[in-house]
Amino acid sequence: MKTLKAIPDRLVVLTFDDGCKSDIEVVAPLLKTYGFGATFYVNDHSGAVSGWKSENYTTWSQIRRLHEMGFEIGNHTARHPGVCGLSDEALIAELEQIELRCSENGIDRPTTFCYPGFHFSAAAVKVLRSRGYQFARRGGFPEMPYHGEGARGPAYDPAVHDPLLVPTTGFSGPNWGMDDLKWAVEQTRGGKAAVLCFHGVPDIEHSWVHTDPGVFKTYMDFLRDSGCTVIAMRGLGDYVDASNVPDDPNAKLEKAL
């Protein structure tokens, strides 16, 4: 049996959604200088995501480069649909498309997931668990209000949250800033972790989730100067037994809602 570490104060999980081109051009090089871990949650932009300009997103060769740099590649579905409107079979097809692309490009099979649009369901939890996913990130609601241009959410507490329903503690956007980041880090006491979500740095197509590169650097400076331990989502497995889950995910969801 694996010996788990105690969750330290200032444990921060760093995640990036949608596979924006800035992942490889801006974010990854900067994170390497800090020695930070991170998860890049990717879609399949080789024609699968309708209406998104592929030139603004990472190619699979660039995603492979992120993997080779030591970062985690997580599953964000092929086409970025909301999971609540999908059948089990449709969700499995979305997951398999990313798993196949990873295999074709020499990337480890994803073991963590991010719910597109932050929406989640008990049915999706069941599918993810059946396919061996260890952790999945949702938004900060229903516990805290959702604002589409940045928001706070609860810290991840393994004693409370299903590992496939990990809340987002900080969601970067125009309405989320340094005070919110400091607040998120302050929540990381007593065995809790702050899970941060970014999109493009910059985000060319979606201004409501944009983070300015200069501002992003000040965020990373703060995490470094505050002595934070910054990890990828899969790194939670060093601290949390992902098999320790509620008997009934539906009950967990109903309690949260």
Side-chain angles (χ1 to χ4, degrees), residues 16-18 20 22-23 118 171-172 197-201 203 209 211:
F16 298 83
D17 290 8
D18 298 351
C20 294
S22 60
D23 289 353
F118 300 159
F171 158 43
S172 180
C197 168
F198 294 87
H199 288 74
V201 184
D203 199 301
V209 289
T211 302

Side-chain angles (χ1 to χ4, degrees), residues 150-227:
R152 295 181 179 184
Y156 170 50
D157 184 348
V160 173
H161 300 116
D162 188 311
L164 292 178
L165 292 170
V166 174
T168 300
T169 316
F171 158 43
S172 180
N175 290 338
W176 188 91
M178 183 60 77
D179 288 345
D180 301 296
L181 175 60
K182 291 179 178 178
W183 177 87
V185 172
E186 281 299 311
Q187 309 311 303
T188 61
R189 303 180 186 278
K192 299 178 183 179
V195 182
L196 304 182
C197 168
F198 294 87
H199 288 74
V201 184
D203 199 301
I204 304 300
E205 292 201 45
H206 305 114
S207 61
W208 57 93
V209 289
H210 164 79
T211 302
D212 177 83
V215 172
F216 178 74
K217 185 178 185 304
T218 67
Y219 295 159
M220 298 302 101
D221 288 344
F222 172 76
L223 296 180
R224 177 198 60 198
D225 297 343
S226 300

